[in-house]
Amino acid sequence: MILLRERPPLLETPFEVFDKGVFTPNDQFFVRWHLPVIPTSIDVDTFRLRVDGHVRTPAEFTINEILHQPEIELAAVNQCSGNSRGFLSPRVPGGEWGMVRWAMLCGPGLP
């Protein structure tokens, strides 16, 4: 991984990773964290995942509810909206991303 900044973490996937296969290994997936505090643990009894915004029906899930959802497998691309920011002219504020803030992933998900 290419460390661009430590706090908040900003890690870039080395370009050669994409020559090794279609899917990006978890340990080489780019890292972009916007918040000042990095959680190191959660209370599984009180944690809730809220899904709202541009969705038909806002919802909230406990960890237990998430773990008991049926699984589906899908392939998807995840790309940071700041991809290639380092090439903009004039320069704009933010991390100096190069070209590799995207990743292909495949694995279990929720329907």
Side-chain angles (χ1 to χ4, degrees), residues 8-75:
L10 189 58
L11 295 154
E12 190 173 288
T13 304
F15 199 75
E16 60 271 9
V17 167
F18 303 112
D19 290 334
K20 296 178 183 175
V22 174
F23 298 106
T24 308
N26 282 343
D27 65 344
Q28 296 178 320
F29 208 93
F30 74 89
V31 175
R32 177 65 174 112
W33 188 263
H34 293 273
L35 304 175
V37 176
I38 302 168
T40 56
S41 65
I42 62 169
D43 181 344
V44 295
D45 295 322
T46 61
F47 179 84
R48 302 290 183 270
L49 172 67
R50 185 176 50 213
V51 180
D52 61 13
H54 192 66
V55 297
R56 278 190 214 127
T57 308
E60 193 171 280
F61 302 95
T62 66
I63 294 290
N64 192 47
E65 289 170 328
I66 293 168
L67 292 174
H68 287 90
Q69 291 289 317
E71 287 186 3
I72 60 170
E73 185 167 286
L74 58 96

Side-chain angles (χ1 to χ4, degrees), residues 95-107:
E96 293 294 315
W97 285 116
M99 292 293 292
V100 288
R101 259 49 49 219
W102 61 274
M104 270 296 280
L105 56 134
C106 184

